[in-house]
Amino acid sequence: MSQKFTRREFGKLFAAGAAGSALGAFSGVKPLFAQEKRVVVIGGGFGGASAAKYIRKLDKSIAVTLVEPASTFYTCPFSNWVMGGLKEMKDIAQTFDVLKSKYQVEVIHDTATEIDPANNSVKLQGGKTLAYDRLIVSPGIDFNYEAIEGYSEEAANNQMPHAYKAGPQTELITKQLKEMKAGENVLICPPGNPFRCPPGPYERASLIAHYLKKNKPGSKVIVLDAKEKFSKQGLFTKGWDKLYSDVIEWRAGSMGGKVMSVDPAAMTVETEFGSEKGGVVNIIPPQRAGKIAVDAGLTDASGWCPVNPITFESTIHPGIHVIGDACIAGKMPKSGFAASSQGKVTAAGVIRLMQGKVPAPPSLVNTCYSLVGPGYGISVAAVYKLTSDGIVGIKGAGGLTPMDADDDQLTEEATYARGWYNNITQDIWG
Amino acid sequence: MSRKLTLWLAAGLISAAALSGCAGQTSEDGANQAQEEEGFNPRGQILALSCASCHGTDGESVGIIPGFFGKSSTYLENALLDFKNERRYSTVMGRHAKGYSDDEIKLIAEYFGWVSQQTTSN
């Protein structure tokens, strides 16, 4: 995922960047008020809402318009807790009221359908066209349904939810878990790297196992993995041995884990080693940057968006910044925390660029909690800086919950996981 | 500093210079000038922004994770150094504090000290 540039390529990119910015100032689209500088943000999730809030918090002279289709945003973090019966949908619902009232962000609930980088404008489904001085795109992910034979968006909405964007599919899988017969199995099928929230499928396996143990005697979670190893594997495996030794079974890609095709009507999954039937089947397909980023030509051959690691400005279209899961951020994982950290760094960078000042070198963080059981939390943390190899984790810092952590420490981590959610959502939408 | 890194930083300078119509300002000059004009160091700000995700905006916590809004720069600097050097117990804070040099910790502490002075509520 790390991006390398030769010196010449880099010089070219930035000559282009400077020229692009200068041209932008003379483009045909005029802002409403001659003096006002406007940033448009596409996407109201962890990245976009953070950027919108922090631009307004740090520089009130810049107007910010946030485009987000949903009036209530359900967070992926803690959506596994809903499936496990530990939280309800209302607990993971975020709204834009505080961004509007306290930070005077103009929030438009619509979908951005077209970006015109030459004219600094964005078209919305509802018919509006928005002019921007700088654009921040935080579209999250889209799914490559076609990568799995037999799978489709329709199958995801009706029989085999991915539940990897929180919302109706989170409710569907939770309902399916309640309605499945005791003794039936739950199949969770995570994709290969890179994908959103690397520990997500394994926290999901843990909390669904917690639910099954209580409510569906004889039922198991079978994880059919496309990979040979996964995030926080040692810690998860230790927790599973302790809490769910007869309830969770994980199969590596080479051990029959790789899903070849699915039959949504029959609720079956084909692997190289044979067929598996599930009472609940959770297919998490491979992913790419959200649709608007692809349509606007912000992605490269990888399906993700290359950016300048100081300000997250696109190396393809100057004046447009891409943050969150959609961008290629060196060694940072695609997580809500990482997206928020990038959103804030981008907010500070955009402000300084608009003030004609030099952006400060970036400092980025990721802190990610997973719940193995209600009183059993684990975490991974990293602090990132920019080097000639791009954004990398600082050696000697960060890392995992120690393998020899005692019960008290694991309980503390579970408590802090709840505190983490309260504060990160307050910091973004509150 | 490596050549490529210098180029990245220089690139930022070119972008900014193109916008403002002024050139010849180094990154460090820019930071110092900003501190005089704005009261805070932009590098300190960049380093400090991540903290709010766990500790609340400006360090005003709404959950069980301790907040630090209103604490002095000196208090914050000492606390961070204690976490970094494992003189103070933590689950995850020590893992974070080790990611910053002592100078960076000072900048973070100064930024939040400044924020607390500026803001009565965020």
Side-chain angles (χ1 to χ4, degrees), chain A residues 401-428:
Chain A
T401 300
M403 278 300 282
D404 60 356
D406 60 21
D407 288 351
D408 287 349
Q409 203 174 337
L410 296 168
T411 307
E412 260 185 295
E413 294 244 44
T415 305
Y416 284 136
R418 292 171 174 86
W420 173 98
Y421 187 84
N422 293 337
N423 274 342
I424 194 169
T425 53
Q426 181 275 340
D427 188 40
I428 297 171

mmCIF file of all heavy atoms in Angstrom, chain A residues 401-428:
data_model
loop_
_atom_site.group_PDB
_atom_site.id
_atom_site.type_symbol
_atom_site.label_atom_id
_atom_site.label_comp_id
_atom_site.label_asym_id
_atom_site.label_seq_id
_atom_site.Cartn_x
_atom_site.Cartn_y
_atom_site.Cartn_z
ATOM 1 N N THR A 401 -2.454 -4.885 22.954
ATOM 2 C CA THR A 401 -2.621 -5.320 24.337
ATOM 3 C C THR A 401 -1.622 -6.462 24.571
ATOM 4 O O THR A 401 -1.528 -7.364 23.742
ATOM 5 C CB THR A 401 -4.053 -5.867 24.535
ATOM 6 O OG1 THR A 401 -4.972 -4.828 24.227
ATOM 7 C CG2 THR A 401 -4.269 -6.361 25.955
ATOM 8 N N PRO A 402 -0.875 -6.436 25.685
ATOM 9 C CA PRO A 402 0.100 -7.516 25.900
ATOM 10 C C PRO A 402 -0.578 -8.892 25.955
ATOM 11 O O PRO A 402 -1.689 -9.009 26.474
ATOM 12 C CB PRO A 402 0.718 -7.174 27.271
ATOM 13 C CG PRO A 402 0.346 -5.755 27.544
ATOM 14 C CD PRO A 402 -0.885 -5.456 26.760
ATOM 15 N N MET A 403 0.080 -9.902 25.408
ATOM 16 C CA MET A 403 -0.488 -11.263 25.404
ATOM 17 C C MET A 403 -0.697 -11.772 26.834
ATOM 18 O O MET A 403 -1.537 -12.632 27.074
ATOM 19 C CB MET A 403 0.425 -12.225 24.634
ATOM 20 C CG MET A 403 0.247 -12.209 23.124
ATOM 21 S SD MET A 403 -1.423 -12.647 22.548
ATOM 22 C CE MET A 403 -1.375 -14.445 22.710
ATOM 23 N N ASP A 404 0.116 -11.249 27.784
ATOM 24 C CA ASP A 404 -0.014 -11.744 29.159
ATOM 25 C C ASP A 404 -0.870 -10.817 30.037
ATOM 26 O O ASP A 404 -0.811 -10.887 31.258
ATOM 27 C CB ASP A 404 1.379 -11.937 29.782
ATOM 28 C CG ASP A 404 2.174 -10.627 29.827
ATOM 29 O OD1 ASP A 404 1.669 -9.598 29.295
ATOM 30 O OD2 ASP A 404 3.286 -10.628 30.384
ATOM 31 N N ALA A 405 -1.674 -9.954 29.374
ATOM 32 C CA ALA A 405 -2.547 -9.058 30.152
ATOM 33 C C ALA A 405 -3.458 -9.877 31.060
ATOM 34 O O ALA A 405 -3.990 -10.913 30.645
ATOM 35 C CB ALA A 405 -3.389 -8.216 29.191
ATOM 36 N N ASP A 406 -3.628 -9.416 32.318
ATOM 37 C CA ASP A 406 -4.475 -10.186 33.239
ATOM 38 C C ASP A 406 -5.944 -9.778 33.067
ATOM 39 O O ASP A 406 -6.270 -8.879 32.299
ATOM 40 C CB ASP A 406 -3.997 -10.026 34.689
ATOM 41 C CG ASP A 406 -4.026 -8.578 35.163
ATOM 42 O OD1 ASP A 406 -4.763 -7.762 34.566
ATOM 43 O OD2 ASP A 406 -3.298 -8.265 36.134
ATOM 44 N N ASP A 407 -6.824 -10.484 33.795
ATOM 45 C CA ASP A 407 -8.270 -10.257 33.636
ATOM 46 C C ASP A 407 -8.658 -8.814 33.922
ATOM 47 O O ASP A 407 -9.524 -8.247 33.252
ATOM 48 C CB ASP A 407 -9.061 -11.199 34.559
ATOM 49 C CG ASP A 407 -9.004 -12.640 34.072
ATOM 50 O OD1 ASP A 407 -8.501 -12.865 32.948
ATOM 51 O OD2 ASP A 407 -9.454 -13.535 34.813
ATOM 52 N N ASP A 408 -8.000 -8.222 34.947
ATOM 53 C CA ASP A 408 -8.325 -6.830 35.288
ATOM 54 C C ASP A 408 -8.042 -5.898 34.112
ATOM 55 O O ASP A 408 -8.820 -4.997 33.807
ATOM 56 C CB ASP A 408 -7.488 -6.365 36.492
ATOM 57 C CG ASP A 408 -7.986 -7.001 37.788
ATOM 58 O OD1 ASP A 408 -9.083 -7.606 37.748
ATOM 59 O OD2 ASP A 408 -7.288 -6.907 38.812
ATOM 60 N N GLN A 409 -6.901 -6.123 33.466
ATOM 61 C CA GLN A 409 -6.504 -5.253 32.350
ATOM 62 C C GLN A 409 -7.456 -5.428 31.160
ATOM 63 O O GLN A 409 -7.817 -4.456 30.507
ATOM 64 C CB GLN A 409 -5.069 -5.589 31.944
ATOM 65 C CG GLN A 409 -4.378 -4.446 31.225
ATOM 66 C CD GLN A 409 -2.907 -4.732 30.962
ATOM 67 O OE1 GLN A 409 -2.275 -5.545 31.646
ATOM 68 N NE2 GLN A 409 -2.370 -4.077 29.958
ATOM 69 N N LEU A 410 -7.891 -6.669 30.913
ATOM 70 C CA LEU A 410 -8.808 -6.923 29.802
ATOM 71 C C LEU A 410 -10.175 -6.303 30.091
ATOM 72 O O LEU A 410 -10.838 -5.792 29.177
ATOM 73 C CB LEU A 410 -8.939 -8.434 29.565
ATOM 74 C CG LEU A 410 -7.630 -9.120 29.133
ATOM 75 C CD1 LEU A 410 -7.751 -10.643 29.211
ATOM 76 C CD2 LEU A 410 -7.220 -8.700 27.719
ATOM 77 N N THR A 411 -10.570 -6.310 31.363
ATOM 78 C CA THR A 411 -11.829 -5.664 31.749
ATOM 79 C C THR A 411 -11.714 -4.148 31.587
ATOM 80 O O THR A 411 -12.633 -3.491 31.086
ATOM 81 C CB THR A 411 -12.180 -6.001 33.218
ATOM 82 O OG1 THR A 411 -12.159 -7.413 33.355
ATOM 83 C CG2 THR A 411 -13.544 -5.471 33.602
ATOM 84 N N GLU A 412 -10.555 -3.620 31.999
ATOM 85 C CA GLU A 412 -10.316 -2.180 31.831
ATOM 86 C C GLU A 412 -10.387 -1.782 30.357
ATOM 87 O O GLU A 412 -10.959 -0.752 30.003
ATOM 88 C CB GLU A 412 -8.900 -1.839 32.323
ATOM 89 C CG GLU A 412 -8.816 -1.242 33.701
ATOM 90 C CD GLU A 412 -7.372 -0.842 34.005
ATOM 91 O OE1 GLU A 412 -6.494 -1.739 34.097
ATOM 92 O OE2 GLU A 412 -7.134 0.356 34.121
ATOM 93 N N GLU A 413 -9.795 -2.607 29.492
ATOM 94 C CA GLU A 413 -9.806 -2.293 28.055
ATOM 95 C C GLU A 413 -11.239 -2.296 27.513
ATOM 96 O O GLU A 413 -11.588 -1.487 26.658
ATOM 97 C CB GLU A 413 -8.924 -3.278 27.282
ATOM 98 C CG GLU A 413 -7.434 -3.148 27.639
ATOM 99 C CD GLU A 413 -6.565 -2.700 26.483
ATOM 100 O OE1 GLU A 413 -6.970 -1.761 25.754
ATOM 101 O OE2 GLU A 413 -5.494 -3.298 26.306
ATOM 102 N N ALA A 414 -12.063 -3.223 28.024
ATOM 103 C CA ALA A 414 -13.471 -3.261 27.596
ATOM 104 C C ALA A 414 -14.190 -1.981 28.043
ATOM 105 O O ALA A 414 -15.012 -1.430 27.311
ATOM 106 C CB ALA A 414 -14.169 -4.491 28.163
ATOM 107 N N THR A 415 -13.858 -1.520 29.239
ATOM 108 C CA THR A 415 -14.464 -0.286 29.748
ATOM 109 C C THR A 415 -14.011 0.901 28.914
ATOM 110 O O THR A 415 -14.806 1.763 28.533
ATOM 111 C CB THR A 415 -14.057 -0.082 31.223
ATOM 112 O OG1 THR A 415 -14.421 -1.258 31.944
ATOM 113 C CG2 THR A 415 -14.742 1.124 31.831
ATOM 114 N N TYR A 416 -12.709 0.941 28.609
ATOM 115 C CA TYR A 416 -12.191 2.047 27.793
ATOM 116 C C TYR A 416 -12.726 2.006 26.358
ATOM 117 O O TYR A 416 -12.848 3.051 25.715
ATOM 118 C CB TYR A 416 -10.658 2.050 27.794
ATOM 119 C CG TYR A 416 -10.079 2.588 29.082
ATOM 120 C CD1 TYR A 416 -9.016 1.955 29.721
ATOM 121 C CD2 TYR A 416 -10.601 3.745 29.669
ATOM 122 C CE1 TYR A 416 -8.495 2.451 30.914
ATOM 123 C CE2 TYR A 416 -10.095 4.239 30.852
ATOM 124 C CZ TYR A 416 -9.039 3.593 31.475
ATOM 125 O OH TYR A 416 -8.538 4.081 32.647
ATOM 126 N N ALA A 417 -13.051 0.806 25.876
ATOM 127 C CA ALA A 417 -13.656 0.714 24.538
ATOM 128 C C ALA A 417 -14.951 1.525 24.510
ATOM 129 O O ALA A 417 -15.213 2.265 23.559
ATOM 130 C CB ALA A 417 -13.926 -0.743 24.167
ATOM 131 N N ARG A 418 -15.746 1.399 25.565
ATOM 132 C CA ARG A 418 -17.005 2.170 25.647
ATOM 133 C C ARG A 418 -16.707 3.672 25.744
ATOM 134 O O ARG A 418 -17.373 4.491 25.109
ATOM 135 C CB ARG A 418 -17.833 1.711 26.840
ATOM 136 C CG ARG A 418 -18.380 0.301 26.676
ATOM 137 C CD ARG A 418 -19.018 -0.230 27.966
ATOM 138 N NE ARG A 418 -19.666 -1.512 27.764
ATOM 139 C CZ ARG A 418 -19.050 -2.709 27.836
ATOM 140 N NH1 ARG A 418 -17.743 -2.772 28.099
ATOM 141 N NH2 ARG A 418 -19.707 -3.827 27.627
ATOM 142 N N GLY A 419 -15.691 4.011 26.541
ATOM 143 C CA GLY A 419 -15.298 5.423 26.655
ATOM 144 C C GLY A 419 -14.779 5.971 25.334
ATOM 145 O O GLY A 419 -15.034 7.130 24.980
ATOM 146 N N TRP A 420 -14.051 5.135 24.618
ATOM 147 C CA TRP A 420 -13.533 5.494 23.284
ATOM 148 C C TRP A 420 -14.690 5.888 22.374
ATOM 149 O O TRP A 420 -14.662 6.912 21.710
ATOM 150 C CB TRP A 420 -12.779 4.277 22.722
ATOM 151 C CG TRP A 420 -12.300 4.342 21.309
ATOM 152 C CD1 TRP A 420 -11.035 4.656 20.889
ATOM 153 C CD2 TRP A 420 -13.039 4.041 20.109
ATOM 154 N NE1 TRP A 420 -10.956 4.575 19.508
ATOM 155 C CE2 TRP A 420 -12.170 4.200 19.012
ATOM 156 C CE3 TRP A 420 -14.355 3.648 19.857
ATOM 157 C CZ2 TRP A 420 -12.557 3.991 17.692
ATOM 158 C CZ3 TRP A 420 -14.754 3.445 18.526
ATOM 159 C CH2 TRP A 420 -13.862 3.610 17.471
ATOM 160 N N TYR A 421 -15.748 5.048 22.369
ATOM 161 C CA TYR A 421 -16.884 5.326 21.473
ATOM 162 C C TYR A 421 -17.545 6.656 21.841
ATOM 163 O O TYR A 421 -17.835 7.480 20.971
ATOM 164 C CB TYR A 421 -17.924 4.196 21.519
ATOM 165 C CG TYR A 421 -19.010 4.397 20.487
ATOM 166 C CD1 TYR A 421 -18.824 3.966 19.175
ATOM 167 C CD2 TYR A 421 -20.194 5.068 20.794
ATOM 168 C CE1 TYR A 421 -19.791 4.183 18.199
ATOM 169 C CE2 TYR A 421 -21.171 5.291 19.831
ATOM 170 C CZ TYR A 421 -20.966 4.849 18.535
ATOM 171 O OH TYR A 421 -21.921 5.079 17.562
ATOM 172 N N ASN A 422 -17.750 6.852 23.150
ATOM 173 C CA ASN A 422 -18.410 8.090 23.592
ATOM 174 C C ASN A 422 -17.629 9.319 23.137
ATOM 175 O O ASN A 422 -18.204 10.295 22.652
ATOM 176 C CB ASN A 422 -18.530 8.121 25.118
ATOM 177 C CG ASN A 422 -19.471 7.054 25.639
ATOM 178 O OD1 ASN A 422 -20.339 6.574 24.899
ATOM 179 N ND2 ASN A 422 -19.287 6.644 26.881
ATOM 180 N N ASN A 423 -16.320 9.280 23.294
ATOM 181 C CA ASN A 423 -15.542 10.478 22.979
ATOM 182 C C ASN A 423 -15.283 10.657 21.487
ATOM 183 O O ASN A 423 -15.344 11.778 20.982
ATOM 184 C CB ASN A 423 -14.222 10.482 23.747
ATOM 185 C CG ASN A 423 -14.386 11.081 25.140
ATOM 186 O OD1 ASN A 423 -15.363 11.788 25.418
ATOM 187 N ND2 ASN A 423 -13.449 10.803 26.027
ATOM 188 N N ILE A 424 -15.017 9.588 20.770
ATOM 189 C CA ILE A 424 -14.711 9.784 19.331
ATOM 190 C C ILE A 424 -15.976 10.262 18.608
ATOM 191 O O ILE A 424 -15.903 11.124 17.724
ATOM 192 C CB ILE A 424 -14.085 8.542 18.654
ATOM 193 C CG1 ILE A 424 -13.499 8.941 17.293
ATOM 194 C CG2 ILE A 424 -15.055 7.382 18.501
ATOM 195 C CD1 ILE A 424 -12.623 7.898 16.628
ATOM 196 N N THR A 425 -17.142 9.752 19.005
ATOM 197 C CA THR A 425 -18.355 10.216 18.323
ATOM 198 C C THR A 425 -18.693 11.663 18.736
ATOM 199 O O THR A 425 -19.142 12.446 17.908
ATOM 200 C CB THR A 425 -19.552 9.279 18.596
ATOM 201 O OG1 THR A 425 -19.703 9.115 20.001
ATOM 202 C CG2 THR A 425 -19.329 7.919 17.944
ATOM 203 N N GLN A 426 -18.393 11.994 19.994
ATOM 204 C CA GLN A 426 -18.587 13.390 20.428
ATOM 205 C C GLN A 426 -17.623 14.307 19.688
ATOM 206 O O GLN A 426 -17.974 15.414 19.276
ATOM 207 C CB GLN A 426 -18.386 13.498 21.947
ATOM 208 C CG GLN A 426 -18.588 14.893 22.539
ATOM 209 C CD GLN A 426 -17.337 15.759 22.466
ATOM 210 O OE1 GLN A 426 -16.225 15.254 22.321
ATOM 211 N NE2 GLN A 426 -17.525 17.061 22.543
ATOM 212 N N ASP A 427 -16.385 13.840 19.503
ATOM 213 C CA ASP A 427 -15.371 14.672 18.849
ATOM 214 C C ASP A 427 -15.710 14.909 17.368
ATOM 215 O O ASP A 427 -15.262 15.881 16.782
ATOM 216 C CB ASP A 427 -13.991 14.004 18.977
ATOM 217 C CG ASP A 427 -12.860 14.901 18.482
ATOM 218 O OD1 ASP A 427 -12.905 16.125 18.753
ATOM 219 O OD2 ASP A 427 -11.935 14.394 17.816
ATOM 220 N N ILE A 428 -16.491 14.002 16.782
ATOM 221 C CA ILE A 428 -16.796 14.111 15.351
ATOM 222 C C ILE A 428 -18.162 14.752 15.100
ATOM 223 O O ILE A 428 -18.280 15.688 14.317
ATOM 224 C CB ILE A 428 -16.734 12.710 14.688
ATOM 225 C CG1 ILE A 428 -15.310 12.145 14.790
ATOM 226 C CG2 ILE A 428 -17.181 12.796 13.227
ATOM 227 C CD1 ILE A 428 -15.184 10.701 14.365
#
